[in-house]
Amino acid sequence: MAIDLVNPTGLPTIDVYRQVSIGAGSKLVFVAGQVAWDAEGVTVGEGDLAAQVEQCYLNIGTALAEAGGSFDDVAKLTVYVVDWTPDKMPSLLEGISRASAKLGTTPVPPATLLGVAALDVPAHLVEIEATAILD
C-alpha cells in the first residue's frame, strides 16, 4: 500500500478520517466527482443522503479498481453535500459505514466536507471526488 494515514501529535484526532496522508507510490489517480448514479446512469436513493453517499463510495471503488487500486490507496477525499447542516452527519456516516461493509475496508483518508447550494442534477444530494496513490 502506498498510503500511510496518520493523526499527528498536536492535531485533534477525528474518528472518521485521519489528518494526514503520506503517499509513497508512483501512480496518481484522480477520480472525478462521483454522484449516486448506477452503471446505467439512474440516480440511486433519491431523497436519501445515506444511500447516495453509499453509492458515491461504491462508484469510487469501481473507478479505483479500473486503475488497479482500492480505497486503501485513497490519499484525499472531497465531499460536497447539498444544503449541508450538522444534523445530516448521521446520514453521511451511515452511508460511509454501509459502503465500508460492501467494500471490505474502512475509508479514513483526509477529507474535506463542503456544503454547496446545488449539484448538476437536482436529485443529487452529494458528490465525492478522490485522489489516490498506487504503487
Side-chain angles (χ1 to χ4, degrees):
M1 180 173 16
I3 304 293
D4 186 22
L5 302 174
V6 298
N7 277 320
T9 302
L11 292 179
T13 299
I14 309 296
D15 291 336
V16 297
Y17 66 88
R18 302 298 175 261
Q19 294 280 14
V20 176
S21 176
I22 303 166
S26 59
K27 185 192 320 187
L28 291 175
V29 179
F30 299 92
V31 180
Q34 296 298 302
V35 293
W37 276 332
D38 64 13
E40 286 74 44
V42 175
T43 298
V44 173
E46 194 162 336
D48 183 343
L49 180 60
Q52 290 199 14
V53 168
E54 178 182 3
Q55 186 64 43
C56 291
Y57 272 71
L58 296 176
N59 289 349
I60 290 169
T62 298
L64 292 170
E66 179 68 22
S70 72
F71 250 101
D72 291 332
D73 301 305
V74 173
K76 174 79 168 63
L77 293 171
T78 304
V79 180
Y80 304 91
V81 181
V82 174
D83 297 325
W84 174 257
T85 56
D87 64 314
K88 293 182 180 180
M89 184 61 81
S91 293
L92 181 77
L93 295 176
E94 178 185 338
I96 294 169
S97 177
R98 292 185 340 209
S100 296
K102 289 182 178 177
L103 293 165
T105 186
T106 302
V108 292
T112 298
L113 172 63
L114 299 165
V116 296
L119 294 171
D120 63 330
V121 174
H124 293 159
L125 305 175
V126 61
E127 183 169 333
I128 305 172
E129 61 185 25
T131 301
I133 303 172
L134 284 64
D135 286 327

